[in-house]
Amino acid sequence: MFAAIRVLTRRGFSTAKVLGAPQQMTVRDALNSAMDEEMEKDDRVFILGEEVAQYDGAYKVSRGLWKKYGDKRVIDTPITEMGFAGMAVGAAMAGLRPICEFMTFNFAMQAIDQIINSAAKTFYMSAGVVNVPIVFRGPNGAAAGVAAQHSQCFAAWYSHCPGLKVISPYDAEDCRGLLKAAIRDPDPVVFLENEILYGQSYPVTDQVLDKNFTLPIGKAKIMRTGTNCTLVAHSRAVELALQASAELSKGGIECEVINLRTIRPLDVNTIFQSVLKTHHLVTVEQGWPQSGVGSEICARVMEHETFFHLDAPVWRVTGVDVPMPYTKSLEIAALPQPQDIVTAVRTVLGGKSK
């Protein structure tokens, strides 16, 4: 008996990685690895912005890149957004592929002339002769405790402008695949990240970790299938929509959650096909309601045959129409919460459980 016990105590447990099991990657590491691999692949790619080099980035997204690539390809700039954005646009016109980091997109307002008038319009105004392959990236939208001047969402602002591609990723797969695609793209891309998501980990497959992995710009992803209501969201609002869907599922309401990924060009076909199935639509965003992304989706649906398949009006869940408060309790009240989405879905369904 004791011999058998000794045999059992000598048994070990395998620590080998389960074949096919997804690994975890933070959004920060997804962005960092995407830039690293594209810089390694193409020596025309370089990064510039405030604190991107010696400090490893304000949010450590560019960590380690200055040590690896040096001063010429990872460049610290003065605090002058219009100045270094203009330098980056000029470099792109001259054939380089800059990644221009803003410490927050709120500060990009200082550089909006360069983004719109110089970057977005040049290809058209040059009759297709001058490409501007540049990525403007950095945190966008609400963080926490940083008040009105650091919490605005610019997705609707930039998506209004022809000549720009506007990406608003959610998880690590989005950030890695879409940033690599943006860096390779021949046109200016506005890449809107979220500060709260930088440290969040998400499952990624070996395919996502492949150096050749990219995601198509302009294609949404269905995160959850359902038959009762379509939820369309981008960036951190995708997480809220998934949480609300889990809660609604307990009562027999199954929502289809669409992660837009790209705001311009907008993947309306994925939205249309989902609404044809669910006959109900709720849009979710952390930005303001007037002229927002949700408003555009409402208009696109109304102008399309899909409108006739709706059983109820489209409902928008947005941030409150006020500058972001600094007080924590008011900040929570100013942003959409999962319960707001639950209420909206139940409203459009008219109180039906299924």
Side-chain angles (χ1 to χ4, degrees), residues 228 245 248-249 251-255 345-346 349 352-354:
N228 300 123
S245 297
L248 287 160
S249 182
I253 299 172
E254 298 298 336
C255 293
V345 171
R346 287 180 174 154
L349 291 176
K352 295 179 287 186
S353 62
K354 290 186 181 179

Side-chain angles (χ1 to χ4, degrees), residues 47-237:
I47 305 169
L48 78 167
E50 297 156 2
E51 299 182 346
V52 298
Q54 296 186 43
Y55 189 67
D56 277 343
Y59 303 99
K60 307 307 177 191
V61 174
S62 56
R63 181 179 55 217
L65 299 182
W66 173 66
K67 290 180 180 177
K68 182 173 181 179
Y69 295 104
D71 291 326
K72 288 188 176 180
R73 298 188 64 196
V74 185
I75 304 168
D76 279 331
T77 67
I79 303 174
T80 169
E81 283 78 11
M82 175 170 274
F84 67 74
M87 291 168 58
V89 172
M93 291 178 179
L96 299 180
R97 290 182 170 268
I99 303 168
C100 178
E101 177 179 310
F102 296 114
M103 197 177 287
T104 158
F105 260 93
N106 297 268
F107 303 157
M109 291 176 72
Q110 303 288 334
I112 201 164
D113 180 57
Q114 301 290 358
I115 298 169
I116 305 302
N117 281 326
S118 297
K121 298 177 182 177
T122 293
F123 183 71
Y124 175 82
M125 295 181 71
S126 69
V129 173
V130 181
N131 285 99
V132 187
I134 184 171
V135 177
F136 300 100
R137 53 155 296 271
N140 169 71
V146 291
Q149 294 175 329
H150 298 73
S151 302
Q152 187 173 334
C153 177
F154 289 88
W157 281 47
Y158 288 114
S159 70
H160 181 66
C161 303
L164 290 178
K165 294 174 183 174
V166 181
I167 295 172
S168 184
Y170 164 53
D171 57 15
E173 177 183 321
D174 290 0
C175 288
R176 183 168 158 78
L178 287 167
L179 184 53
K180 288 170 76 71
I183 294 169
R184 298 180 189 187
D185 199 271
D187 298 310
V189 179
V190 172
F191 198 91
L192 303 171
E193 301 155 14
N194 184 277
E195 179 184 336
I196 299 295
L197 295 178
Y198 280 147
Q200 299 249 25
S201 294
Y202 296 94
V204 291
T205 63
D206 289 338
Q207 180 188 8
V208 174
L209 297 175
D210 189 279
K211 288 189 176 184
N212 294 315
F213 174 75
T214 60
L215 288 170
I217 296 173
K219 181 64 180 172
K221 178 184 180 182
I222 296 176
M223 305 291 289
R224 186 184 195 277
T225 59
T227 55
N228 300 123
C229 186
T230 299
L231 300 180
V232 181
H234 67 96
S235 188
R236 196 175 175 217

Side-chain angles (χ1 to χ4, degrees), residues 307-351:
F307 174 76
F308 299 103
H309 294 266
L310 285 169
D311 288 343
V314 180
W315 203 273
R316 293 178 298 156
V317 178
T318 71
V320 177
D321 196 21
V322 296
M324 181 63 70
Y326 178 65
T327 305
K328 185 174 182 180
S329 58
L330 293 178
E331 181 183 66
I332 293 170
L335 290 169
Q337 305 298 326
Q339 187 56 47
D340 298 321
I341 304 169
V342 169
T343 301
V345 171
R346 287 180 174 154
T347 300
V348 300
L349 291 176

